[in-house]
Amino acid sequence: MQEIRDILKELATDLVLMKETQKDAALKSQQEWREIADRFRETDEKFKSTERFVKEVSKKLGELGNKMGSFTEGLALPSLSRILQRDFGATHIFPRARAVRSGQSLEIDVLGYANGQQNTAVAVEVKSHLKEEHVDQLLRILADFPQFYPEHSTKKLYGILAGVNVPDTVRNLALKKGLYVGQISEETFRLRVPDNFRPQNFQSFAAS
């Protein structure tokens, strides 16, 4: 009987230890889950903070791009205006020209035109770094020009693509499409076309 009592006593002690161990484990588990939840909250806050930072940087880059475009256009405008007057007889020159028709709009970096005997219009797109997509952009502008400027529908229509950095591949593509190509350096704009270059009259091109 005494041995049985000792065994039962040991079992009771073990049971108490087991319960205490389970309780400690539960408390430890709860603590661990709280720590994990805290880490998730911290990580979520970091993600949100990073997202806000990325949005702010994207916004600033967009603003910088717009400022750089305006700066480049302003840099080229004085000498570009002289070329439009001298080589194309332009008597009216409009930076940032914008026309609206039927709820749609067409924006051109610089538009120059002349009435009378000269009867010519020139659309100019100015970029810091010329890319092939800018060639397509100017071609779309020239294709849409008669729709937005019907008052100039009888004029010869030419396009000029100008940039500070002009890769040869883009220059050759633009020339092949009949576009004038210009380069801006040291606050001076100059046309860079070969002697045998034949510009495309996009007004007659559109009409055909």
Side-chain angles (χ1 to χ4, degrees), residues 4-190:
I4 291 173
R5 291 191 192 98
D6 292 339
I7 292 172
L8 290 174
K9 186 177 180 179
E10 290 178 4
L11 289 173
T13 302
D14 290 343
L15 184 59
V16 171
L17 290 173
M18 187 183 296
K19 288 182 178 179
E20 290 178 352
T21 301
Q22 289 176 342
K23 183 178 180 181
D24 291 341
L27 290 173
K28 185 177 180 181
S29 178
Q30 291 176 5
Q31 180 63 28
E32 289 175 345
W33 277 112
R34 280 196 294 269
E35 291 178 357
I36 291 173
D38 290 340
R39 289 175 184 171
F40 268 114
R41 280 193 293 270
E42 291 175 3
T43 303
D44 186 54
E45 286 299 322
K46 288 180 180 178
F47 272 119
K48 289 180 180 177
S49 178
T50 302
E51 186 179 11
R52 288 193 294 268
F53 175 75
V54 170
K55 286 182 179 179
E56 185 64 23
V57 170
S58 298
K59 179 181 177 183
K60 295 296 183 184
L61 287 174
E63 293 174 353
L64 180 62
N66 291 335
K67 289 179 180 178
M68 180 60 73
S70 299
F71 171 77
T72 304
E73 293 166 22
L75 191 68
L77 188 59
S79 54
L80 174 57
S81 297
R82 287 193 294 272
I83 287 178
L84 289 176
Q85 294 174 55
R86 183 192 67 200
D87 296 351
F88 299 92
T91 54
H92 300 76
I93 298 172
F94 301 94
R96 296 274 180 160
R98 185 172 184 268
V100 179
R101 297 278 178 178
S102 303
Q104 302 293 318
S105 64
L106 180 69
E107 296 184 1
I108 304 173
D109 288 342
V110 182
L111 172 63
Y113 69 86
N115 298 318
Q117 185 176 358
Q118 198 71 31
N119 207 36
T120 301
V122 185
V124 187
E125 281 296 292
V126 184
K127 308 295 179 184
S128 298
H129 181 89
L130 286 186
K131 302 176 182 178
E132 291 186 5
E133 64 192 56
H134 297 141
V135 175
D136 294 333
Q137 179 183 348
L138 180 52
L139 291 175
R140 287 195 300 269
I141 289 173
L142 293 166
D144 293 340
F145 187 88
Q147 173 188 346
F148 287 90
Y149 291 93
E151 65 274 22
H152 300 310
S153 59
T154 62
K155 289 181 171 60
K156 296 184 292 290
L157 177 62
Y158 301 109
I160 298 178
L161 195 60
V164 176
N165 188 331
V166 185
D168 287 339
T169 53
V170 180
R171 178 173 178 268
N172 293 336
L173 175 62
L175 292 173
K176 185 178 179 180
K177 298 293 184 179
L179 299 170
Y180 286 94
V181 179
Q183 189 157 12
I184 306 162
S185 60
E186 298 180 354
E187 301 185 8
T188 302
F189 171 87
R190 61 188 180 90

